[in-house]
Amino acid sequence: MLEDGKLYIGTSRKPDDSVDKGEYLDLGFANRHGLITGATGTGKTVTLQILAEGFSNAGVPVFCADVKGDLSGIAAMGEYKDFLEKRATTIGLDPYEFQEFPVIFWDLFGDKGHRVRTTLTEMGPLLLARLMDMTDAQEGVLNIAFKIADEGGLTLLDLKDLQAMLSYMGEHSKELSSTYGNVSKQSIGAIQRDLLVLEQQGAEKFFGEPALKISDMMRTTPDGRGAISVLAADKLMMNPRLYGTFLLWLLSELFEELPEVGDPDKPRLVFFFDEAHLLFDEAPKVLVERVEQVVRLIRSKGVGVYFVTQNPLDVPESVLSQLGNRIQHALRAYTPREQKAVKTAAETFRPNPDFDCFEAITKLGVGEALVSTLESKGVPSIVQRTLIRPPSSRLGPLKDGERRNTMDLSPVAGVYDEDLDRNSAFEILRKRAEDAAKAEEERRRREEEDDEELQESRRWTLPGFGDPDDDDDDDYDDRGRKRSSRRKRPRRRRSGSRRQSVAEAAMKSAARSVASSLGRALVRGILGSLKKGL
Ligand SMILES: Nc1ncnc2c1ncn2[C@@H]1O[C@H](COP(=O)(O)OP(=O)(O)O)[C@@H](O)[C@H]1O
Ligand SMILES: [Mg+2]
């Protein structure tokens, strides 16, 4: 039943419902992506679980999000349950063995897993604009902020770096507009307010260092099993945009960092994108196009992407057509929209003369699905009604203590726990402002001394003639030192033009570093995240 180079999904049924043959996913075509669809409660998560198990056993690392918390059991040994045993017997899975899997838990908020962070510089303006649902004008300003930062060596690590950058831009909107195009104060203000909202939603935890190293998601155990990275996403789902953007960022990181490998005999990583509709909901056309591009190109980097969602219509056609391996659980077909979804799903399969796909989709039982995978030469197999195998790991969640234990024993325990706050735009701009303020004070002091000397020398040359506004009152200088009553502090023009403002100084030094760093500006990839190794 378990074959080399293939992952056992379940067993198909004949027209009379008796079991037919094993259905497999060929590891050689597993990087041709996949789709798991079906209504709530029809068995999508369990299917994801058995696929993750199969990949892990084949030495392929897996990334998946745990949207409802019910996937965490994959880290624990399976437990005897009547209905699981029954399914195993029906499909001839003998022996049905229990197994626990090497899991690394991740969590943007750091509660249910190791912290996952990235820097704003690494994420880039395209995804950030999406995350903050920006208008075109705001996105324009954000692009300029990244351009100035990228060119000028101002690293944007966290949200306060971007805030500092935006304040700086607000102070120089005029000068910047002449160089970069319209930098409106209004858009800057809007972005700054959105950043505060983002912060309140807890997103600031996600931006900073130490940033996630992709290699930590691609581990294998000493006995050759692929690590399963499980992202705790229950809390994250309250901020669907952050969830979608995060997964997209991860995908683009993989894409930018991994080398080309062509079509390997098994994937280097399999990425499950659960609740995939959140990625595409209201997504601007340009983003959908980029996602389509990444999905198409990431295949030759040996990464298989599997979208999990209720309805195949949730995934844009251009992406859908690239998903070669399909597992369709039951869908209802009452409303016209539902009927359309079932029709779409039915039509994408290579037909089976034994049954009508449309009808079959509406009649599938729980844990049963229409399955078609890519076979030799990459041709889709004839669709089969398939009883999905029961998992070897636990069905349902881990207990808190068990999760803690897994985290303590994880190969990345302690690596991502503490925040690191290295010198970045916020500190650099602040330091520049402070330096500029000091320089300004120094300059003023000198000017004052010069003035005083001048006064003094005048007294020498014109004895007896005092300043017209001179009086005998005591006077104090800037530092509170008492001045001689005869030498009143001279009137000075406190003109804005002579005085170099703090911001001006910061601006100048930013411009200097722009000039000095031309030619080593950062390079961004398809989804705007940073290209590495350049
Ligand atoms: N392959 C399967 N074998 C046995 N039981 C299954 C299988 N798939 C699903 N089930 C049962 O159906 C329930 C719901 O499945 P689940 O995967 O959570 O649905 P979904 O993710 O589509 O909402 C599971 O808790 C389990 O009891
Ligand atoms: Mg589910």
Side-chain angles (χ1 to χ4, degrees), residues 215-322:
S215 54
D216 277 333
M217 290 227 166
M218 305 192 64
R219 288 171 174 271
T220 44
T221 59
D223 61 345
R225 292 187 298 157
I228 302 176
S229 283
V230 176
L231 175 78
D234 44 349
K235 196 169 153 198
L236 192 57
M237 293 319 282
M238 292 192 266
N239 188 347
R241 213 180 275 278
L242 180 59
Y243 169 80
T245 315
F246 168 71
L247 289 201
L248 216 48
W249 163 76
L250 196 53
L251 205 58
S252 81
E253 279 285 303
L254 289 166
F255 175 72
E256 302 298 347
E257 272 199 43
L258 297 177
E260 294 279 331
V261 288
D263 278 319
D265 49 352
K266 65 182 183 194
R268 303 182 64 197
L269 178 87
V270 167
F271 188 105
F272 287 98
F273 210 132
D274 206 348
E275 302 285 342
H277 65 99
L278 293 175
L279 168 62
F280 300 110
D281 276 353
E282 294 164 33
K285 198 161 156 271
V286 47
L287 187 75
V288 174
E289 282 168 7
R290 305 272 176 105
V291 172
E292 190 243 299
Q293 218 176 338
V294 167
V295 169
R296 183 156 38 82
L297 297 173
I298 206 167
R299 176 185 137 190
S300 61
K301 309 227 166 177
V303 177
V305 183
Y306 289 69
F307 291 94
V308 185
T309 187
Q310 293 202 11
N311 191 324
L313 295 179
D314 295 338
V315 182
E317 178 51 41
S318 58
V319 177
L320 206 56
S321 62
Q322 300 182 52

Side-chain angles (χ1 to χ4, degrees), residues 39-46 70 83-84 87 366-367 388-390 395:
T40 304
T42 56
K44 294 186 299 299
T45 300
V46 175
D70 52 355
F83 68 97
L84 296 178
R87 171 64 57 97
V366 170
I388 308 293
R389 63 155 295 175
L395 191 71

Side-chain angles (χ1 to χ4, degrees), residues 74 83 123 129 140 155 200 262-263 383 400 418 423 488 498 512:
I74 197 164
F83 68 97
M123 176 173 262
T155 318
Q200 279 155 13
D263 278 319
V383 64
D400 287 348
E418 299 299 324
N423 231 12
K488 183 167 167 72
R498 270 184 70 196
R512 269 197 297 277

